[in-house]
Amino acid sequence: MLFEQIARNRRHTVWLLIFMSVIVIGVGLVFDWAFGTDWMWIFWLVGFGYLIWFYWHSATFLMKINGGRQVDEKTAPHLYELVSELCLASGLPMPKIYILPIDCPNAFATGCNPEHASLAVTQGLLDLMNDEELRGVLGHELSHIKNYDIRVTTIAMSLLELVRYSGWGLLIAGIGLMSVKTRAGIIKLIFWLIGTSLAVVGGMIAIAGIPLAKVAFFAISREREYLADAGSVEMTRDPSGLISALEKLKSDERQMPVDDAATNAICFNARPGNWLMKLFDTHPPLEKRIERLKESAS
C-alpha cells in the first residue's frame, strides 16, 4: 500500500510539472502572437535565467527572512542526534540544521540536493512535540530532501512566478503607457497603441495563465506532501509519531509570522484556505493526511 501510494504521487507530480511547463510555453506563444518571434525567445531566455537564479538563491532567502539560527551537535545535541539517526538509517548526508525563534510549530527543508540541504525547525515545534512526534516530522522533512522535493517545488514555484510577473507586469506597464499625458497627439497615440497591446497580452496571461499555473503549482505541492508523509513512515518504520504530530496541529492555530508564499509552500504545517480556495492550498487538509497515514498502517 505504501509503495503504491509513493509511485502514484510521483506519477501525478510528473504530469503536473508537464502541464505547468505547457502553460509557460503557451505564454511564450502569446508573446510570439502579440510582439513577434524575437520577443518569444527573449521571454524564454529571461525565464530560464530567472529559474536558475531562483533555484540557487531560494534557500538562503528563506532562512534569512525567517531568522534561522544554525545549530550543531554542541548547541542542540538532542535535535542533532535525532536528525543524525534518521539520516544514518536512510543513507542521507547530514543537512545543515537551523532553529527558528518562532512559537508556531513548524518545519521545512531547503536545498538543491541532499548534499546541499538545510533543515529548519521552529522553537514552537520543539516545545510542542515529544520525541516520537518530532521524529515523525523530521522524517517528513528528510523525505522531502531524499525525494528531491525541494528541487521540484523550487522549479514549479519559479515557473509560477515567471507567469505571474509576466502577466501583471505587462498589464501594469500597458495601463501606465495608456495613461501617459502629452500634448503631442501622434506621440500620445503611439503610447496608447503600445499600452493597449501590452495591457491586452498581460490581461490574457493574468486571466487565464496565472490561475492555471497556480492550480498546477499547488497540486504539485499537495502531492509532494502526501509523498513525504509516506516517506516518513518508511524512514521511521512507525506512522504513529507522525499521526500524533498531525493530530496536535489540528488544534493549534498559531501561524508563521512571515506571510511568504515560498515559505508557506514548503512548511510542514501550512495555513489552510477556506472551502472556496481548496484548489489553491499548498498542503492537503490535516484530516486527509492523517487518513492516508492510517490507511498505510493498516
Side-chain angles (χ1 to χ4, degrees):
M1 179 68 181
L2 176 62
F3 294 107
E4 291 177 3
Q5 182 177 328
I6 291 173
R8 182 177 66 250
N9 288 344
R10 284 176 174 165
R11 287 196 302 271
H12 289 174
T13 300
V14 170
W15 283 112
L16 287 166
L17 274 175
I18 291 173
F19 176 66
M20 202 161 191
S21 299
V22 169
I23 294 172
V24 173
I25 292 172
V27 172
L29 294 176
V30 170
F31 271 77
D32 182 23
W33 166 75
F35 309 119
T37 304
D38 289 344
W39 283 100
M40 176 186 70
W41 285 109
I42 290 173
F43 167 77
W44 283 338
L45 288 173
V46 170
F48 184 70
Y50 174 77
L51 189 151
I52 293 175
W53 181 90
F54 195 92
Y55 180 80
W56 286 107
H57 292 86
S58 59
T60 304
F61 171 75
L62 292 175
M63 290 301 178
K64 184 177 181 179
I65 66 172
N66 287 286
R69 172 177 61 88
Q70 188 173 353
V71 297
D72 54 25
E73 190 173 7
K74 293 182 179 179
T75 53
H78 187 59
L79 176 61
Y80 189 93
E81 182 182 0
L82 290 176
V83 176
S84 179
E85 288 175 356
L86 290 171
C87 287
L88 185 63
S90 58
L92 282 171
M94 191 71 179
K96 294 179 181 178
I97 304 175
Y98 291 81
I99 294 180
L100 311 181
I102 298 171
D103 65 349
C104 168
N106 228 322
F108 61 83
T110 67
C112 305
N113 52 51
E115 289 73 29
H116 301 87
S118 299
L119 191 156
V121 298
T122 65
Q123 188 61 50
L125 184 80
L126 297 176
D127 294 339
L128 181 65
M129 303 295 173
N130 60 36
D131 280 2
E132 184 182 34
E133 294 160 348
L134 183 57
R135 190 177 286 109
V137 175
L138 293 174
H140 174 101
E141 297 305 327
L142 289 172
S143 293
H144 276 311
I145 295 172
K146 184 177 182 179
N147 296 326
Y148 288 81
D149 286 350
I150 306 305
R151 176 179 294 180
V152 172
T153 302
T154 302
I155 292 173
M157 192 182 304
S158 64
L159 292 175
L160 169 61
E161 292 297 293
L162 177 60
V163 174
R164 187 167 68 89
Y165 286 140
S166 299
W168 289 118
L170 288 175
L171 184 59
I172 293 171
I175 293 174
L177 287 174
M178 291 168 64
S179 304
V180 169
K181 294 181 180 180
T182 177
R183 294 182 179 179
I186 186 65
I187 296 177
K188 184 176 182 179
L189 177 62
I190 292 172
F191 276 133
W192 190 87
L193 290 174
I194 296 174
T196 300
S197 63
L198 291 177
V200 168
V201 174
M204 291 171 59
I205 296 172
I207 292 171
I210 294 177
L212 287 173
K214 282 188 173 183
V215 169
F217 168 71
F218 294 140
I220 289 171
S221 181
R222 290 194 296 270
E223 288 296 332
R224 305 313 283 185
E225 290 305 309
Y226 282 133
L227 179 59
D229 283 346
S232 177
V233 175
E234 183 183 15
M235 193 177 296
T236 61
R237 305 297 180 184
D238 181 16
S240 61
L242 184 55
I243 292 173
S244 179
L246 292 172
E247 291 282 4
K248 279 188 176 180
L249 293 176
K250 284 172 62 177
S251 58
D252 195 300
E253 297 182 353
R254 289 173 289 180
Q255 299 292 341
M256 295 290 283
V258 179
D259 189 14
D260 173 69
T263 302
N264 199 52
I266 63 173
C267 271
F268 176 75
N269 180 31
R271 181 178 301 176
N274 57 44
W275 65 272
L276 188 60
M277 298 299 291
K278 291 301 181 184
L279 283 175
F280 300 99
D281 279 350
T282 56
H283 287 51
L286 293 176
E287 293 79 5
K288 287 190 176 182
R289 293 172 67 181
I290 292 169
E291 181 183 345
R292 284 205 182 192
L293 285 167
K294 289 180 177 179
E295 286 178 359
S296 68
S298 61

